[in-house]
Every structure is written in structure tokens, then in C-alpha cells.
Amino acid sequence: MERIDLGEVPYLDAVTEMGTWVRQRQDGLIEDRLVMLTHPPVITYGARTPPAELPADMSIPLVPVDRGGQATYHGPGQLIGYLVIDLHQRGPGDIVRWLEDGLIAALDTLGFKTIRRDTPPRSQSLVGVWTPDHRKLVSIGMRIRRGVTSHGFAVNIAPDMSVFTSFVACGLPDVPMTSLALLAGEDGRPAPAEQQVRAAIAAALGAD
């Protein structure tokens, strides 16, 4: 898998580029790729997100998206990873489980114990990466079209966590969100730098 590192990219610009990458992958013009970047502040939400779960304060742009999942915040201090993967080439399997397991392995190398959670029947999705005491650290939302994935994950390294109190993140009103900075602080150590997190995730997902 090809690794591509970008800096801060406006969300809508990134979505446009991602659409191009997906078409190129569907046509066999590029290989699978992991694109890591950051976004200026934005809250994205899927078509099934209830309006009551969105913020009343419109100081942060709201953008509807075509991925799975509910409302999610992106902003400085958060690492975004977009995956463009041909599932026909990779073979059958649960791409979301693979991603969860890869992120858990990456975070373990950085000294953070995390878990995945199974979603009970008829319950809001628990897809993502969690602390053992059920705080959510990583949000995941993916889309598959013609056998190729798009969108991906958001890792909270050290974002402004107060933003998460202004809306219902991931359709889970009672779930606290957390960050690597908060978790590291609880252990009396500094948070890993963004470049360390990028390197650990790329290695765990087999991207170079």
C-alpha cells in the first residue's frame, strides 16, 4: 500500500481529491493507498444523522458526507487517514475490522492499550477504537463503491476536546471522547508527536 503524507487540507478539497483517487483505483491506474492529513475545523455528518444531534452553534462549518457513520468533528490536533483500497485485490473480509485491529496495533506500539467493541443488535454502531473503560479515541467511517473503499479514520491526538460537547459525536450521546494527549497526561507522560502517530499507523497497515 502506498503511503501519502499531506499537511492541512480543506475538507471539501480532500473529498474531491479522494473521488479522483477512487476512480483511478477502480480503473487500475494507482495502487492501494493510505493518505494521512489534517483538516481545518469542520463537523461532517451522514444522511441518517438526526438534526437534533448537530450543533446549534454554527461557528464550525457543517458538511454532509457520503460515508457511513454519524456526526464527527475534524480539526487541528487530529490525524485523518483516508484509505483507497481495492477489495477485489485484497480479497473477502471485514475491512473495518482489519482497520480497527491495525489501529489498535499501532497505538500499542506507542504505549496505549485500546480495544474494539462489537455492536449489540439494533444498537448504534460502536465501530472505532476505544479505551478499555469505553472512551472513544478513534472514529471510523468508510464507503465502498465498485469494490473500492474511501474515507477512513480520525485519531484524536491533541484536538480541542470541548468541541465534542457541542454535538452528539458518532450518534452516541453518553459516550465520552478522549485523545492521546489526555490519556498520556493520565500516565504522566507527553503525548506522541503527530509524526510518530503517522509512522506507527503506516507500519501497522502495511503502507510505505
PDB file of all heavy atoms in Angstrom, residues 39-71:
ATOM      1  N   HIS A  39      -7.301  18.478   8.839  1.00  0.00           N
ATOM      2  CA  HIS A  39      -8.304  19.394   8.291  1.00  0.00           C
ATOM      3  C   HIS A  39      -8.453  20.624   9.192  1.00  0.00           C
ATOM      4  O   HIS A  39      -8.283  20.519  10.417  1.00  0.00           O
ATOM      5  CB  HIS A  39      -9.671  18.723   8.204  1.00  0.00           C
ATOM      6  CG  HIS A  39      -9.776  17.645   7.170  1.00  0.00           C
ATOM      7  ND1 HIS A  39      -9.320  17.814   5.878  1.00  0.00           N
ATOM      8  CD2 HIS A  39     -10.301  16.396   7.228  1.00  0.00           C
ATOM      9  CE1 HIS A  39      -9.561  16.699   5.189  1.00  0.00           C
ATOM     10  NE2 HIS A  39     -10.151  15.828   5.986  1.00  0.00           N
ATOM     11  N   PRO A  40      -8.828  21.764   8.612  1.00  0.00           N
ATOM     12  CA  PRO A  40      -9.317  22.865   9.444  1.00  0.00           C
ATOM     13  C   PRO A  40     -10.614  22.423  10.120  1.00  0.00           C
ATOM     14  O   PRO A  40     -11.219  21.431   9.710  1.00  0.00           O
ATOM     15  CB  PRO A  40      -9.577  23.994   8.431  1.00  0.00           C
ATOM     16  CG  PRO A  40      -8.874  23.581   7.181  1.00  0.00           C
ATOM     17  CD  PRO A  40      -8.841  22.090   7.178  1.00  0.00           C
ATOM     18  N   PRO A  41     -11.070  23.139  11.150  1.00  0.00           N
ATOM     19  CA  PRO A  41     -12.266  22.700  11.880  1.00  0.00           C
ATOM     20  C   PRO A  41     -13.480  22.512  10.978  1.00  0.00           C
ATOM     21  O   PRO A  41     -13.832  23.381  10.183  1.00  0.00           O
ATOM     22  CB  PRO A  41     -12.496  23.831  12.885  1.00  0.00           C
ATOM     23  CG  PRO A  41     -11.141  24.413  13.107  1.00  0.00           C
ATOM     24  CD  PRO A  41     -10.469  24.344  11.765  1.00  0.00           C
ATOM     25  N   VAL A  42     -14.127  21.346  11.103  1.00  0.00           N
ATOM     26  CA  VAL A  42     -15.331  21.045  10.344  1.00  0.00           C
ATOM     27  C   VAL A  42     -16.064  19.910  11.055  1.00  0.00           C
ATOM     28  O   VAL A  42     -15.437  19.052  11.687  1.00  0.00           O
ATOM     29  CB  VAL A  42     -14.987  20.630   8.890  1.00  0.00           C
ATOM     30  CG1 VAL A  42     -14.155  19.356   8.860  1.00  0.00           C
ATOM     31  CG2 VAL A  42     -16.238  20.472   8.045  1.00  0.00           C
ATOM     32  N   ILE A  43     -17.383  19.922  11.008  1.00  0.00           N
ATOM     33  CA  ILE A  43     -18.186  18.811  11.506  1.00  0.00           C
ATOM     34  C   ILE A  43     -18.887  18.193  10.307  1.00  0.00           C
ATOM     35  O   ILE A  43     -19.607  18.882   9.570  1.00  0.00           O
ATOM     36  CB  ILE A  43     -19.210  19.265  12.566  1.00  0.00           C
ATOM     37  CG1 ILE A  43     -18.482  19.712  13.839  1.00  0.00           C
ATOM     38  CG2 ILE A  43     -20.193  18.132  12.892  1.00  0.00           C
ATOM     39  CD1 ILE A  43     -19.381  20.313  14.888  1.00  0.00           C
ATOM     40  N   THR A  44     -18.648  16.917  10.082  1.00  0.00           N
ATOM     41  CA  THR A  44     -19.270  16.209   8.966  1.00  0.00           C
ATOM     42  C   THR A  44     -20.338  15.269   9.510  1.00  0.00           C
ATOM     43  O   THR A  44     -20.266  14.814  10.651  1.00  0.00           O
ATOM     44  CB  THR A  44     -18.227  15.406   8.168  1.00  0.00           C
ATOM     45  OG1 THR A  44     -17.706  14.350   8.988  1.00  0.00           O
ATOM     46  CG2 THR A  44     -17.081  16.296   7.728  1.00  0.00           C
ATOM     47  N   TYR A  45     -21.342  14.986   8.677  1.00  0.00           N
ATOM     48  CA  TYR A  45     -22.430  14.132   9.148  1.00  0.00           C
ATOM     49  C   TYR A  45     -23.046  13.378   7.979  1.00  0.00           C
ATOM     50  O   TYR A  45     -23.094  13.861   6.856  1.00  0.00           O
ATOM     51  CB  TYR A  45     -23.494  14.950   9.877  1.00  0.00           C
ATOM     52  CG  TYR A  45     -24.190  15.989   9.030  1.00  0.00           C
ATOM     53  CD1 TYR A  45     -25.421  15.723   8.426  1.00  0.00           C
ATOM     54  CD2 TYR A  45     -23.615  17.242   8.816  1.00  0.00           C
ATOM     55  CE1 TYR A  45     -26.052  16.674   7.634  1.00  0.00           C
ATOM     56  CE2 TYR A  45     -24.240  18.198   8.029  1.00  0.00           C
ATOM     57  CZ  TYR A  45     -25.463  17.909   7.445  1.00  0.00           C
ATOM     58  OH  TYR A  45     -26.082  18.852   6.650  1.00  0.00           O
ATOM     59  N   GLY A  46     -23.535  12.162   8.270  1.00  0.00           N
ATOM     60  CA  GLY A  46     -24.165  11.331   7.261  1.00  0.00           C
ATOM     61  C   GLY A  46     -25.633  11.649   7.095  1.00  0.00           C
ATOM     62  O   GLY A  46     -26.238  12.389   7.888  1.00  0.00           O
ATOM     63  N   ALA A  47     -26.245  11.063   6.072  1.00  0.00           N
ATOM     64  CA  ALA A  47     -27.640  11.351   5.739  1.00  0.00           C
ATOM     65  C   ALA A  47     -28.601  10.937   6.842  1.00  0.00           C
ATOM     66  O   ALA A  47     -29.699  11.491   6.959  1.00  0.00           O
ATOM     67  CB  ALA A  47     -28.013  10.647   4.433  1.00  0.00           C
ATOM     68  N   ARG A  48     -28.226   9.974   7.663  1.00  0.00           N
ATOM     69  CA  ARG A  48     -29.117   9.481   8.709  1.00  0.00           C
ATOM     70  C   ARG A  48     -28.932  10.197  10.044  1.00  0.00           C
ATOM     71  O   ARG A  48     -29.533   9.814  11.052  1.00  0.00           O
ATOM     72  CB  ARG A  48     -28.903   7.980   8.899  1.00  0.00           C
ATOM     73  CG  ARG A  48     -29.252   7.156   7.656  1.00  0.00           C
ATOM     74  CD  ARG A  48     -29.072   5.675   7.906  1.00  0.00           C
ATOM     75  NE  ARG A  48     -29.393   4.881   6.725  1.00  0.00           N
ATOM     76  CZ  ARG A  48     -29.301   3.564   6.668  1.00  0.00           C
ATOM     77  NH1 ARG A  48     -28.883   2.885   7.737  1.00  0.00           N
ATOM     78  NH2 ARG A  48     -29.610   2.918   5.552  1.00  0.00           N
ATOM     79  N   THR A  49     -28.095  11.218  10.080  1.00  0.00           N
ATOM     80  CA  THR A  49     -27.868  11.946  11.329  1.00  0.00           C
ATOM     81  C   THR A  49     -29.072  12.800  11.682  1.00  0.00           C
ATOM     82  O   THR A  49     -29.467  13.672  10.897  1.00  0.00           O
ATOM     83  CB  THR A  49     -26.632  12.855  11.212  1.00  0.00           C
ATOM     84  OG1 THR A  49     -25.491  12.059  10.857  1.00  0.00           O
ATOM     85  CG2 THR A  49     -26.361  13.566  12.532  1.00  0.00           C
ATOM     86  N   PRO A  50     -29.706  12.595  12.839  1.00  0.00           N
ATOM     87  CA  PRO A  50     -30.839  13.436  13.236  1.00  0.00           C
ATOM     88  C   PRO A  50     -30.392  14.895  13.422  1.00  0.00           C
ATOM     89  O   PRO A  50     -29.327  15.141  13.990  1.00  0.00           O
ATOM     90  CB  PRO A  50     -31.291  12.827  14.570  1.00  0.00           C
ATOM     91  CG  PRO A  50     -30.731  11.439  14.570  1.00  0.00           C
ATOM     92  CD  PRO A  50     -29.447  11.519  13.805  1.00  0.00           C
ATOM     93  N   PRO A  51     -31.186  15.853  12.971  1.00  0.00           N
ATOM     94  CA  PRO A  51     -30.818  17.266  13.133  1.00  0.00           C
ATOM     95  C   PRO A  51     -30.540  17.644  14.586  1.00  0.00           C
ATOM     96  O   PRO A  51     -29.680  18.501  14.853  1.00  0.00           O
ATOM     97  CB  PRO A  51     -32.029  18.012  12.584  1.00  0.00           C
ATOM     98  CG  PRO A  51     -32.637  17.062  11.601  1.00  0.00           C
ATOM     99  CD  PRO A  51     -32.414  15.693  12.176  1.00  0.00           C
ATOM    100  N   ALA A  52     -31.217  17.005  15.523  1.00  0.00           N
ATOM    101  CA  ALA A  52     -31.016  17.330  16.936  1.00  0.00           C
ATOM    102  C   ALA A  52     -29.619  16.971  17.424  1.00  0.00           C
ATOM    103  O   ALA A  52     -29.180  17.469  18.474  1.00  0.00           O
ATOM    104  CB  ALA A  52     -32.056  16.602  17.792  1.00  0.00           C
ATOM    105  N   GLU A  53     -28.903  16.132  16.682  1.00  0.00           N
ATOM    106  CA  GLU A  53     -27.556  15.744  17.095  1.00  0.00           C
ATOM    107  C   GLU A  53     -26.482  16.703  16.578  1.00  0.00           C
ATOM    108  O   GLU A  53     -25.313  16.581  16.941  1.00  0.00           O
ATOM    109  CB  GLU A  53     -27.244  14.316  16.630  1.00  0.00           C
ATOM    110  CG  GLU A  53     -28.116  13.278  17.307  1.00  0.00           C
ATOM    111  CD  GLU A  53     -27.717  11.854  16.984  1.00  0.00           C
ATOM    112  OE1 GLU A  53     -26.784  11.663  16.168  1.00  0.00           O
ATOM    113  OE2 GLU A  53     -28.336  10.932  17.546  1.00  0.00           O
ATOM    114  N   LEU A  54     -26.881  17.642  15.735  1.00  0.00           N
ATOM    115  CA  LEU A  54     -25.929  18.615  15.198  1.00  0.00           C
ATOM    116  C   LEU A  54     -25.872  19.841  16.098  1.00  0.00           C
ATOM    117  O   LEU A  54     -26.816  20.140  16.831  1.00  0.00           O
ATOM    118  CB  LEU A  54     -26.347  19.013  13.777  1.00  0.00           C
ATOM    119  CG  LEU A  54     -26.358  17.859  12.771  1.00  0.00           C
ATOM    120  CD1 LEU A  54     -26.923  18.324  11.438  1.00  0.00           C
ATOM    121  CD2 LEU A  54     -24.962  17.280  12.595  1.00  0.00           C
ATOM    122  N   PRO A  55     -24.758  20.584  16.066  1.00  0.00           N
ATOM    123  CA  PRO A  55     -24.627  21.731  16.968  1.00  0.00           C
ATOM    124  C   PRO A  55     -25.563  22.872  16.605  1.00  0.00           C
ATOM    125  O   PRO A  55     -25.815  23.134  15.426  1.00  0.00           O
ATOM    126  CB  PRO A  55     -23.163  22.130  16.813  1.00  0.00           C
ATOM    127  CG  PRO A  55     -22.786  21.660  15.449  1.00  0.00           C
ATOM    128  CD  PRO A  55     -23.559  20.392  15.244  1.00  0.00           C
ATOM    129  N   ALA A  56     -26.057  23.559  17.627  1.00  0.00           N
ATOM    130  CA  ALA A  56     -26.859  24.762  17.391  1.00  0.00           C
ATOM    131  C   ALA A  56     -25.963  25.929  17.022  1.00  0.00           C
ATOM    132  O   ALA A  56     -26.341  26.815  16.257  1.00  0.00           O
ATOM    133  CB  ALA A  56     -27.684  25.085  18.631  1.00  0.00           C
ATOM    134  N   ASP A  57     -24.752  25.930  17.575  1.00  0.00           N
ATOM    135  CA  ASP A  57     -23.767  26.971  17.270  1.00  0.00           C
ATOM    136  C   ASP A  57     -23.135  26.646  15.921  1.00  0.00           C
ATOM    137  O   ASP A  57     -22.503  25.605  15.758  1.00  0.00           O
ATOM    138  CB  ASP A  57     -22.702  27.003  18.359  1.00  0.00           C
ATOM    139  CG  ASP A  57     -21.576  27.986  18.054  1.00  0.00           C
ATOM    140  OD1 ASP A  57     -21.710  28.781  17.102  1.00  0.00           O
ATOM    141  OD2 ASP A  57     -20.565  27.964  18.781  1.00  0.00           O
ATOM    142  N   MET A  58     -23.313  27.519  14.948  1.00  0.00           N
ATOM    143  CA  MET A  58     -22.830  27.253  13.591  1.00  0.00           C
ATOM    144  C   MET A  58     -21.456  27.873  13.321  1.00  0.00           C
ATOM    145  O   MET A  58     -21.109  28.165  12.192  1.00  0.00           O
ATOM    146  CB  MET A  58     -23.841  27.781  12.568  1.00  0.00           C
ATOM    147  CG  MET A  58     -25.252  27.243  12.793  1.00  0.00           C
ATOM    148  SD  MET A  58     -25.358  25.465  12.546  1.00  0.00           S
ATOM    149  CE  MET A  58     -25.381  25.399  10.766  1.00  0.00           C
ATOM    150  N   SER A  59     -20.660  28.096  14.371  1.00  0.00           N
ATOM    151  CA  SER A  59     -19.352  28.713  14.182  1.00  0.00           C
ATOM    152  C   SER A  59     -18.383  27.772  13.462  1.00  0.00           C
ATOM    153  O   SER A  59     -17.405  28.218  12.860  1.00  0.00           O
ATOM    154  CB  SER A  59     -18.763  29.136  15.523  1.00  0.00           C
ATOM    155  OG  SER A  59     -18.614  28.019  16.391  1.00  0.00           O
ATOM    156  N   ILE A  60     -18.645  26.456  13.523  1.00  0.00           N
ATOM    157  CA  ILE A  60     -17.838  25.475  12.797  1.00  0.00           C
ATOM    158  C   ILE A  60     -18.651  25.000  11.602  1.00  0.00           C
ATOM    159  O   ILE A  60     -19.821  24.643  11.755  1.00  0.00           O
ATOM    160  CB  ILE A  60     -17.460  24.292  13.700  1.00  0.00           C
ATOM    161  CG1 ILE A  60     -16.587  24.771  14.859  1.00  0.00           C
ATOM    162  CG2 ILE A  60     -16.742  23.207  12.906  1.00  0.00           C
ATOM    163  CD1 ILE A  60     -16.224  23.678  15.837  1.00  0.00           C
ATOM    164  N   PRO A  61     -18.078  24.982  10.413  1.00  0.00           N
ATOM    165  CA  PRO A  61     -18.831  24.550   9.226  1.00  0.00           C
ATOM    166  C   PRO A  61     -19.390  23.141   9.379  1.00  0.00           C
ATOM    167  O   PRO A  61     -18.736  22.251   9.930  1.00  0.00           O
ATOM    168  CB  PRO A  61     -17.786  24.612   8.103  1.00  0.00           C
ATOM    169  CG  PRO A  61     -16.744  25.570   8.581  1.00  0.00           C
ATOM    170  CD  PRO A  61     -16.701  25.407  10.068  1.00  0.00           C
ATOM    171  N   LEU A  62     -20.613  22.954   8.885  1.00  0.00           N
ATOM    172  CA  LEU A  62     -21.253  21.643   8.839  1.00  0.00           C
ATOM    173  C   LEU A  62     -21.277  21.161   7.394  1.00  0.00           C
ATOM    174  O   LEU A  62     -21.711  21.893   6.499  1.00  0.00           O
ATOM    175  CB  LEU A  62     -22.686  21.714   9.370  1.00  0.00           C
ATOM    176  CG  LEU A  62     -22.878  22.040  10.843  1.00  0.00           C
ATOM    177  CD1 LEU A  62     -24.359  22.203  11.158  1.00  0.00           C
ATOM    178  CD2 LEU A  62     -22.276  20.962  11.720  1.00  0.00           C
ATOM    179  N   VAL A  63     -20.824  19.927   7.158  1.00  0.00           N
ATOM    180  CA  VAL A  63     -20.729  19.405   5.795  1.00  0.00           C
ATOM    181  C   VAL A  63     -21.360  18.018   5.728  1.00  0.00           C
ATOM    182  O   VAL A  63     -20.920  17.100   6.436  1.00  0.00           O
ATOM    183  CB  VAL A  63     -19.259  19.329   5.333  1.00  0.00           C
ATOM    184  CG1 VAL A  63     -19.180  18.765   3.914  1.00  0.00           C
ATOM    185  CG2 VAL A  63     -18.595  20.698   5.390  1.00  0.00           C
ATOM    186  N   PRO A  64     -22.400  17.829   4.893  1.00  0.00           N
ATOM    187  CA  PRO A  64     -22.951  16.478   4.703  1.00  0.00           C
ATOM    188  C   PRO A  64     -21.971  15.625   3.905  1.00  0.00           C
ATOM    189  O   PRO A  64     -21.289  16.116   3.004  1.00  0.00           O
ATOM    190  CB  PRO A  64     -24.242  16.731   3.924  1.00  0.00           C
ATOM    191  CG  PRO A  64     -24.008  18.029   3.217  1.00  0.00           C
ATOM    192  CD  PRO A  64     -23.119  18.845   4.113  1.00  0.00           C
ATOM    193  N   VAL A  65     -21.906  14.326   4.235  1.00  0.00           N
ATOM    194  CA  VAL A  65     -20.940  13.431   3.590  1.00  0.00           C
ATOM    195  C   VAL A  65     -21.625  12.140   3.148  1.00  0.00           C
ATOM    196  O   VAL A  65     -22.733  11.829   3.580  1.00  0.00           O
ATOM    197  CB  VAL A  65     -19.766  13.104   4.539  1.00  0.00           C
ATOM    198  CG1 VAL A  65     -18.949  14.355   4.835  1.00  0.00           C
ATOM    199  CG2 VAL A  65     -20.268  12.490   5.832  1.00  0.00           C
ATOM    200  N   ASP A  66     -20.934  11.376   2.303  1.00  0.00           N
ATOM    201  CA  ASP A  66     -21.495  10.146   1.748  1.00  0.00           C
ATOM    202  C   ASP A  66     -20.854   8.896   2.337  1.00  0.00           C
ATOM    203  O   ASP A  66     -20.856   7.837   1.736  1.00  0.00           O
ATOM    204  CB  ASP A  66     -21.332  10.129   0.230  1.00  0.00           C
ATOM    205  CG  ASP A  66     -19.869  10.172  -0.212  1.00  0.00           C
ATOM    206  OD1 ASP A  66     -18.978  10.258   0.669  1.00  0.00           O
ATOM    207  OD2 ASP A  66     -19.612  10.134  -1.426  1.00  0.00           O
ATOM    208  N   ARG A  67     -20.298   9.009   3.539  1.00  0.00           N
ATOM    209  CA  ARG A  67     -19.703   7.849   4.201  1.00  0.00           C
ATOM    210  C   ARG A  67     -20.675   7.283   5.232  1.00  0.00           C
ATOM    211  O   ARG A  67     -21.712   7.876   5.520  1.00  0.00           O
ATOM    212  CB  ARG A  67     -18.422   8.270   4.934  1.00  0.00           C
ATOM    213  CG  ARG A  67     -18.657   9.429   5.898  1.00  0.00           C
ATOM    214  CD  ARG A  67     -17.714   9.459   7.071  1.00  0.00           C
ATOM    215  NE  ARG A  67     -17.890  10.663   7.862  1.00  0.00           N
ATOM    216  CZ  ARG A  67     -18.852  10.850   8.758  1.00  0.00           C
ATOM    217  NH1 ARG A  67     -19.752   9.906   8.964  1.00  0.00           N
ATOM    218  NH2 ARG A  67     -18.933  11.978   9.451  1.00  0.00           N
ATOM    219  N   GLY A  68     -20.301   6.145   5.811  1.00  0.00           N
ATOM    220  CA  GLY A  68     -21.059   5.620   6.929  1.00  0.00           C
ATOM    221  C   GLY A  68     -20.776   6.416   8.190  1.00  0.00           C
ATOM    222  O   GLY A  68     -19.810   7.180   8.270  1.00  0.00           O
ATOM    223  N   GLY A  69     -21.626   6.244   9.189  1.00  0.00           N
ATOM    224  CA  GLY A  69     -21.399   6.910  10.458  1.00  0.00           C
ATOM    225  C   GLY A  69     -22.236   8.169  10.629  1.00  0.00           C
ATOM    226  O   GLY A  69     -22.891   8.633   9.696  1.00  0.00           O
ATOM    227  N   GLN A  70     -22.195   8.711  11.831  1.00  0.00           N
ATOM    228  CA  GLN A  70     -22.967   9.895  12.164  1.00  0.00           C
ATOM    229  C   GLN A  70     -22.068  11.131  12.183  1.00  0.00           C
ATOM    230  O   GLN A  70     -21.082  11.178  11.458  1.00  0.00           O
ATOM    231  CB  GLN A  70     -23.662   9.673  13.514  1.00  0.00           C
ATOM    232  CG  GLN A  70     -24.572   8.456  13.545  1.00  0.00           C
ATOM    233  CD  GLN A  70     -25.847   8.641  12.721  1.00  0.00           C
ATOM    234  OE1 GLN A  70     -26.163   9.728  12.275  1.00  0.00           O
ATOM    235  NE2 GLN A  70     -26.566   7.554  12.498  1.00  0.00           N
ATOM    236  N   ALA A  71     -22.407  12.115  12.989  1.00  0.00           N
ATOM    237  CA  ALA A  71     -21.651  13.370  13.017  1.00  0.00           C
ATOM    238  C   ALA A  71     -20.275  13.166  13.649  1.00  0.00           C
ATOM    239  O   ALA A  71     -20.128  12.463  14.656  1.00  0.00           O
ATOM    240  CB  ALA A  71     -22.432  14.428  13.788  1.00  0.00           C
TER     241      ALA A  71
END
